[in-house]
Amino acid sequence: MQHRKRSSTWRHQLVGSLAACLLAASASGVELNISARFRPSVLSPQTMQFENTTPQGSYCGRWPTYCTDKKFSITFPVSWSYPSMKSGETDPRKGVYIKVPNTFRTVQVVNSQTGQTSQLRFRVSGMASTFNLTRSLMDITGASNFIEAHDKLWVSSYWNYPSGKCTRITDAWASDRWGAAIWGYPESADGCYKLAAYTIPAPGISMTDAGLMYELQTPSPLELGNGEYKGSLEYRIGPGQDFDFGDTATADASSVKINFVLSVAHELKVNYPDNARQVLLEPAGGWAVWLQQGRAPGPLQRDIPFTVASSGNFSVRLECQYTVGRHCGIANGKQLVVPVATALSMEGLRVKDSGQKAARTPLSNAAAVVFGSQAASAARRSQLHFTVAAPDVTAMAKQSGERFVGTVTLVFDAGAI
């Protein structure tokens, strides 16, 4: 059933009306959780935002098809009531009055595994609620049908048109004893309200199925390592507090703690050519100079091309079959071990600590080098550079007929910060 009036759409849910109940006072606190995750695909590097993973609740949980175009609501686990309401009242605080913390607050979030900290900003941008009556609106207003009764009951039109500086976010769902909608709270808004045009006698009005819309300004996921980042805010409930329901309301909680969890799971893919598993080190120009002229061959080298796709910081370190100081080594059967210097070049990446471009950056078995960028990439052209210095090649040349071999393992870690 659908009826339009004053550009407002009302929906009638064909179920029994919600039973109203008065709520007892309580000093208890409640909690709710807000979560978001960053799980990018290097095949879609332009996607660099956190995704809201908080389950829909309240208005949008019940009528999700009417919460498109970025409208949403999450469950706000607080109910409150008004014992009665007089017609002709002009004081907003003696009507259905709802004030929310609609200005931004800063929250520190911490990765408990790594200790990395960051900050997010949060504000409430909308409030969903359902008012409930024990008598039908037709009984109270004398209207012939519930749609007309909803229009007559409240000063300034239907429930989804709040008074004050708030805005209409959604259409309203309603029956002959209840109505539900979301009010929008710009940062300039104070408390918003509805005043009754008819007296609503005891037991009055109960407010249920509350929900929040919010704005969450998150840090850049490129600056965060993998893991969960947690933080919280606590708001007070009551007259003059963060959540303020007016002078006559009785709420079933005195505070609400909002817990935030940001989950980060960067993607890292390294692709080598099929023939890169075995690296043959040779002098520039090959072995001919040494074999034909008897001259020292100079340093042994090999560059290996590969690609790396990443969405955040990552580190690279060496693991060695033979260790020579900070380098890996190769050895012959007589246990002569010579160092192999390993360096890394990656297009568009920089060394995090120094800010220098990743161009022949030395790698070590002692400490990982962390690399980062300002954007994700599906495939960065990269090279590994292996070098045996000329003095070590001279020592190798004295071992005529010997073969020098060794395993060098590169460990890429997307969990780096």
Side-chain angles (χ1 to χ4, degrees):
M1 176 178 180
Q2 184 171 317
H3 174 81
R4 295 186 181 273
K5 185 176 182 180
R6 303 181 192 173
S7 300
S8 172
T9 302
W10 280 78
R11 313 284 178 184
H12 182 208
Q13 189 179 36
L14 299 177
V15 297
S17 61
L18 297 180
C21 59
L22 290 178
L23 302 169
S26 171
S28 65
V30 296
E31 296 189 21
L32 63 90
N33 299 316
I34 290 176
S35 61
R37 70 182 178 187
F38 177 68
R39 293 184 179 176
S41 169
V42 295
L43 299 178
S44 182
Q46 70 277 5
T47 303
M48 296 305 296
Q49 295 84 33
F50 279 93
E51 172 194 2
N52 181 16
T53 55
T54 311
Q56 292 267 32
S58 184
Y59 183 100
C60 292
R62 297 179 68 184
W63 302 291
T65 56
Y66 298 99
C67 287
T68 57
D69 190 28
K70 297 184 179 180
K71 298 186 185 78
F72 68 93
S73 62
I74 65 170
T75 299
F76 181 67
V78 178
S79 300
W80 63 100
S81 64
Y82 301 93
S84 63
M85 206 158 288
K86 295 189 302 182
S87 65
E89 180 62 68
T90 59
D91 184 353
R93 296 189 58 82
K94 293 182 180 178
V96 176
Y97 181 89
I98 303 175
K99 179 180 180 293
V100 302
N102 56 319
T103 56
F104 278 103
R105 296 193 186 180
T106 300
V107 185
Q108 178 173 275
V109 290
V110 182
N111 185 323
S112 60
Q113 292 186 324
T114 66
Q116 185 181 7
T117 64
S118 190
Q119 291 183 333
L120 59 82
R121 300 178 75 228
F122 172 83
R123 81 174 191 94
V124 177
S125 61
M127 186 74 165
S129 63
T130 299
F131 77 85
N132 305 274
L133 304 174
T134 56
R135 295 175 57 187
S136 77
L137 277 79
M138 289 82 80
D139 287 345
I140 295 173
T141 65
S144 60
N145 60 71
F146 83 93
I147 295 176
E148 179 187 353
H150 274 280
D151 187 25
K152 293 179 68 174
L153 178 64
W154 302 109
V155 175
S156 301
S157 190
Y158 298 113
W159 178 251
N160 56 326
Y161 287 94
S163 298
K165 294 183 180 180
C166 289
T167 60
R168 180 177 74 92
I169 293 293
T170 63
D171 298 330
W173 276 85
S175 79
D176 63 339
R177 294 177 187 243
W178 58 268
I182 302 177
W183 300 353
Y185 285 76
E187 288 189 79
S188 60
D190 196 19
C192 296
Y193 59 94
K194 294 294 286 184
L195 293 172
Y198 291 78
T199 295
I200 301 174
I205 303 173
S206 65
M207 304 293 296
T208 61
D209 202 21
L212 299 182
M213 290 183 65
Y214 59 87
E215 290 184 39
L216 188 65
Q217 295 179 355
T218 56
S220 168
L222 291 177
E223 299 174 358
L224 303 178
N226 284 352
E228 288 191 341
Y229 295 77
K230 298 181 179 180
S232 63
L233 274 177
E234 187 161 350
Y235 292 108
R236 304 298 297 174
I237 299 172
Q241 302 298 318
D242 304 300
F243 286 94
D244 183 347
F245 303 128
D247 292 338
T248 65
T250 299
D252 65 354
S254 59
S255 66
V256 57
K257 183 180 181 182
I258 302 179
N259 301 310
F260 301 91
V261 179
L262 301 182
S263 299
V264 179
H266 287 294
E267 190 170 32
L268 176 64
K269 291 185 177 180
V270 180
N271 292 314
Y272 291 96
D274 292 338
N275 61 354
R277 298 298 177 182
Q278 293 188 348
V279 179
L280 178 62
L281 301 177
E282 294 182 314
W287 294 99
V289 173
W290 181 47
L291 294 174
Q292 296 173 10
Q293 302 178 19
R295 287 162 42 189
L300 307 183
Q301 298 176 320
R302 178 69 67 181
D303 293 338
I304 302 297
F306 70 100
T307 61
V308 58
S310 64
S311 63
N313 292 348
F314 62 92
S315 66
V316 185
R317 62 181 175 86
L318 302 178
E319 290 183 355
C320 311
Q321 180 182 5
Y322 303 106
T323 299
V324 186
R326 298 170 59 87
H327 301 292
C328 294
I330 52 177
N332 66 355
K334 298 179 180 179
Q335 295 303 302
L336 173 62
V337 181
V338 296
V340 179
T342 306
L344 185 56
S345 297
M346 294 180 291
E347 183 181 64
L349 290 167
R350 293 182 178 272
V351 179
K352 182 183 177 184
D353 288 345
S354 66
Q356 295 179 344
K357 292 182 179 180
R360 292 190 174 271
T361 302
L363 300 178
S364 166
N365 58 49
V369 180
V370 179
F371 299 92
S373 72
Q374 296 302 309
S377 174
R380 299 180 189 274
R381 292 182 297 180
S382 307
Q383 279 191 323
L384 279 168
H385 312 284
F386 296 103
T387 305
V388 177
D392 295 309
V393 176
T394 299
M396 295 170 65
K398 295 177 181 179
Q399 306 287 321
S400 179
E402 291 291 324
R403 184 168 179 262
F404 287 78
V405 296
T407 301
V408 178
T409 302
L410 285 92
V411 180
F412 290 76
D413 184 0
I417 61 173

